[in-house]
Amino acid sequence: MTMPTDLLQRLTGLVGPTGVVTDGSDLEPYAVDWRKLFPGKPACVVRPSSTEQVAGIVQVCREAGVAIVPQGGNTGLAGGAVPDASGTQVVLSLNRMGAIRHVDPVGLTIEAEAGCILKVAQDAAAADGRLLPISLAAEGSATIGGVVAANAGGVNVLRYGMTRSLVLGLEVVLPDGTVANGLRRLRKDNAGYDWKQLFIGSEGTLGIVTAAVLRLLPRPKHSVTALISVADPPAALRLLALSQDELGDQISAFELISATSMQLVAKHAGLKAPIAEGEWFVLIEAAASLAGLREAADTMLGAAFEQEIALDGVIAESVAQAAQLWALREHVTESEAREGRSVKHDVSVPLTEVPRFLSEAGNALAAGAPGTRVNAFGHLGDGNIHYNILVGPDHDAGVVNRIVHDVVAAFGGSISAEHGIGQYRVGELARYRASTEMNLARAIKRALDPDNRLNPGKVLLP
Ligand code: 2HG
Ligand code: ZN
């Protein structure tokens, strides 16, 4: 180990012997990301159990000139929460700070520590009849701190917004080891700079989120889930317009699934859509507290057949059937991983441009990277497509990235709609974002972390 003994002693003094992990196999889960694309080598892992301990660790590491990589559930897809291979970076895991500090069902807030699993927080809200509407496939492992640090998206963004729109208050340990406590439960707080926004989505490069107050919503009493097949992406957009007309603001998810995604899910997860095969599928969910939702969904589906938008479709008759429909969508990522090597893109373009983007990116890939297969799916209602490319051993991931991202840029899109930059997209961000924007970001980083000790190598290079 390259780590100085006195630093190890000081860290152990702060968190106790069980709070420091130094042994090879125990380090493994903290060392590499879920996709195993970024194998790192931590100097050690420190597991604090309080904000004061986090602050102490930051101070001690600062004095020793050692970099810290904050880590939550380590479910990210961009390598943002794992150390580099130098063996010198300390991973600071928040997984011992999992408490829910309060749920206020009338004030509609929940306060949780950073290491609280998202699903645990959702369930705590549900136990009080309220909704924490951040919903993602990794919710059983992702943590509140990671979700905030990544500004996570998920399937409910079109109705409730990204994580950012749900954060009311934050507690953050700054790179100098001081604690900024903004854990206010206020709906309205216009007093000065809204500094917490800097930390939401900055992927642990500006500070370590230790706790958050999130907004809750009344829990809708009724929900309806439909799976509909359509011929092509323009038809999926017409279906979105129809859903907006009939279901209006009650739509909480509008997900696109390609035939390739469905085939992967059938092959690797043994799950099959209960409707006739088509080139594209749309999974729609709507939720409401007042009655009449099912009737509205029936009207929508009827109109979709009448206008020849829908090829086939089903509305779930039970909670269990709705879960089966959702399972198809939720198994795409895992099934893609089982299929073999893939190059992921998490892109957004203006919503109505999605069909043109899909066709132009497909053409560009066919010309520039023959032999690749497109696995497209994602959050059509947000203009966010996971445009993942199944590749063989000889395909160059950088070439594939460039082909896809050039098309994204031509549409005025973003190369990361919800997964963040991490280490995976550092070079791509620098290429596609204007230098004025990058310089602004660097100025913020320098102001808060002048020595580049917090999650270096992620999001942007100095
Ligand atoms: C999803 O929407 C996740 O399921 C994962 O954001 C996307 O696997 C992916 O690329
Ligand atoms: Zn997604």
Side-chain angles (χ1 to χ4, degrees), residues 4 27 37 40 47 67 86 90 121 138 160 182 231 285 298 319 330 342 347 369 384 405-407 409 420 428 451:
L27 289 173
L37 280 187
R47 301 168 61 231
S86 65
V90 168
Y160 302 108
E285 184 158 285
D298 285 338
V319 173
E330 281 160 1
S342 68
V347 308
N384 172 197
H405 288 162
D406 278 355
V407 181
E428 294 294 271
D451 300 323

Side-chain angles (χ1 to χ4, degrees), residues 76-357:
L77 293 171
V82 287
D84 68 13
S86 65
T88 61
Q89 301 185 330
V90 168
V91 171
L92 191 154
S93 167
L94 281 307
N95 65 7
R96 287 217 295 194
M97 292 178 59
I100 291 177
R101 294 181 181 161
H102 85 256
V103 178
D104 177 352
V106 178
L108 291 171
T109 58
I110 183 169
E111 181 177 327
E113 291 182 353
C116 175
I117 303 281
L118 174 55
K119 179 78 170 62
V120 172
Q122 288 170 351
D123 290 349
D128 270 329
R130 300 297 177 256
L131 177 73
L132 175 60
I134 306 168
S135 177
L136 22 116
E139 64 199 23
S141 320
T143 58
I144 293 297
V147 160
V148 170
N151 186 28
V155 296
N156 285 340
V157 171
L158 87 167
R159 179 155 176 190
Y160 302 108
M162 301 280 278
T163 296
R164 183 184 302 284
S165 67
L166 297 162
V167 177
L168 294 179
L170 274 194
E171 180 186 70
V172 180
V173 174
L174 301 173
D176 66 2
T178 55
V179 180
N181 185 344
L183 283 174
R184 286 180 282 274
R185 307 181 192 180
L186 306 173
R187 300 254 147 190
K188 300 183 76 172
D189 179 9
N190 223 0
Y193 291 163
D194 189 4
W195 57 260
K196 68 177 178 296
Q197 302 298 343
L198 278 179
F199 300 93
I200 305 168
S202 61
E203 305 182 46
T205 60
L206 300 178
I208 302 172
V209 173
T210 45
V213 178
L214 302 175
R215 204 156 60 81
L216 300 178
L217 286 107
R219 194 171 191 79
K221 289 194 172 64
H222 313 281
S223 71
V224 64
T225 307
L227 182 71
I228 298 169
S229 59
V230 295
D232 50 28
L237 269 195
R238 287 170 63 213
L239 186 62
L240 177 59
L242 193 59
S243 303
Q244 286 161 342
D245 290 344
E246 299 300 336
L247 296 162
D249 53 4
Q250 314 296 291
I251 306 171
S252 50
F254 195 91
E255 297 284 308
L256 184 70
I257 311 173
S258 63
T260 303
S261 304
M262 280 295 190
Q263 284 152 14
L264 291 172
V265 169
K267 181 171 165 190
H268 298 288
L271 301 175
K272 218 176 156 321
I275 58 175
E277 286 184 10
E279 279 308 302
W280 295 90
F281 298 81
V282 176
L283 183 63
I284 306 174
E285 184 158 285
S289 286
L290 303 180
L293 192 62
R294 177 59 201 247
E295 291 73 13
D298 285 338
T299 306
M300 181 273 292
L301 186 57
F305 278 125
E306 212 165 278
Q307 295 173 29
E308 295 180 355
I309 296 171
L311 301 175
D312 198 2
V314 65
I315 296 178
E317 292 297 340
S318 64
V319 173
Q321 217 186 337
Q324 281 164 14
L325 297 182
W326 270 107
L328 295 162
R329 169 64 182 83
E330 281 160 1
H331 278 82
V332 178
T333 296
E334 202 180 297
S335 304
E336 178 193 289
R338 286 177 191 215
E339 179 73 0
R341 195 171 160 236
S342 68
V343 180
K344 283 188 186 290
H345 304 93
D346 165 38
V347 308
S348 60
V349 294
L351 210 152
T352 50
E353 296 284 21
V354 170
R356 280 208 311 134
F357 163 76

Side-chain angles (χ1 to χ4, degrees), residues 8-9 11-22 45-47 96:
L8 196 58
Q9 276 166 358
L11 292 174
T12 309
L14 282 169
V15 298
T18 55
V20 182
V21 184
T22 52
V45 176
V46 202
R47 301 168 61 231
R96 287 217 295 194

Side-chain angles (χ1 to χ4, degrees), residues 343-347 385-389 400-401 404-405 425:
V343 180
K344 283 188 186 290
H345 304 93
D346 165 38
V347 308
I385 300 296
H386 299 306
Y387 195 75
N388 299 345
I389 312 302
V400 172
N401 278 162
V404 173
H405 288 162
R425 301 188 175 94

